[in-house]
Amino acid sequence: MILPIYIYGQPVLRKESEDITPDYPGLAELIPNMFETLTASDGVGLAAPQIGKNIRLAVIDLDVISDDLPEYKDFRRAYINPHIVEIDETSPTETMEEGCLSLPGIHENVTRYTRIRVQYQDEQFQQHDEWVEGFLARVMQHEFDHLDAKMFIDHISPLRKQLIKGKLKSLLQGRYRCSYRTKPVRK
């Protein structure tokens, strides 16, 4: 089932998410629904707060970019209770343009670390502890930020934020266009 994406201004996007246990109600249906929602909205990552749930769950599908980055062929994973536990501050940072399904029409350059250590559980609740680098590290930082009540616009300069103030206001007022189901802020 395709779920609506919560748009900037929804309180759930600014509330820190909680870890879950294997008995979380409806988890077996929620993960496939998140992947279906992600595919329908042409994204590469989706965090649970973006569908209105304050739980530490994110899905990432990089197969859609495998023509350009073949190392991500068939890469489609769910991350339960993910946490970034270490940043390799000796690795270079990289600045790239980012967008977000919760911020339709807004794209800004964001600088992120290129190598991070993450701990998470897979769909069978098996524990993982790995170093991740490259584009996957960027996507994880973006999605896991959502779980910590942050958005990519929190990483841009005050000047850039001032320059997109009108676009953010339009989102708050429900004045935007996108090709996927959304849940705008209701005033």
Side-chain angles (χ1 to χ4, degrees):
M1 174 172 61
I2 297 172
L3 307 166
I5 304 287
Y6 281 56
I7 299 299
Y8 175 77
Q10 286 281 2
V12 69
L13 296 171
R14 294 301 192 173
K15 185 176 174 202
E16 198 158 332
S17 297
E18 302 286 329
D19 282 351
I20 59 172
T21 58
D23 61 351
Y24 182 83
L27 184 62
E29 297 81 33
L30 180 60
I31 292 172
N33 288 345
M34 286 180 69
F35 275 117
E36 187 177 352
T37 301
L38 179 61
T39 300
S41 54
D42 291 325
V44 294
L46 182 66
Q50 293 180 276
I51 55 155
K53 300 197 176 296
N54 276 122
I55 58 172
R56 292 195 75 86
L57 172 63
V59 297
I60 295 176
D61 182 352
L62 297 183
D63 185 59
V64 297
I65 60 165
S66 64
D67 286 347
D68 295 324
L69 299 170
E71 64 268 32
Y72 295 122
K73 181 77 178 141
D74 299 323
F75 187 97
R76 185 176 159 103
R77 297 206 182 120
Y79 296 89
I80 299 170
N81 302 325
H83 294 272
I84 296 172
V85 294
E86 192 174 347
I87 293 169
D88 181 355
E89 294 181 4
T90 65
S91 70
T93 57
E94 184 176 58
T95 302
M96 284 180 72
E97 186 177 85
E98 289 188 18
C100 180
L101 297 174
S102 294
L103 293 155
I106 297 177
H107 297 85
E108 291 291 327
N109 284 330
V110 176
T111 302
R112 296 205 187 261
Y113 289 97
T114 56
R115 189 167 184 263
I116 58 172
R117 185 173 147 225
V118 295
Q119 291 178 344
Y120 64 92
Q121 293 164 314
D122 60 26
E123 291 181 63
Q124 288 71 46
F125 278 82
Q126 296 299 307
Q127 189 69 35
H128 296 265
D129 185 329
E130 1 179 286
W131 282 96
V132 179
E133 49 192 74
F135 191 70
L136 177 58
R138 171 173 293 277
V139 175
M140 283 182 161
Q141 288 171 83
H142 178 110
E143 297 310 326
F144 300 173
D145 269 358
H146 281 297
L147 306 178
D148 294 326
K150 297 177 192 156
M151 301 181 84
F152 85 88
I153 57 172
D154 299 335
H155 297 285
I156 64 175
S157 72
L159 174 62
R160 288 299 315 156
K161 200 158 189 183
Q162 187 64 31
L163 291 171
I164 64 168
K165 192 174 181 178
K167 290 180 181 180
L168 294 174
K169 185 177 179 184
S170 291
L171 292 176
L172 290 172
Q173 295 171 342
R175 294 180 309 155
Y176 59 89
R177 288 177 178 245
C178 60
S179 61
Y180 46 88
R181 281 182 66 202
T182 63
K183 186 166 178 70
V185 177
R186 299 277 184 232
K187 294 279 179 182

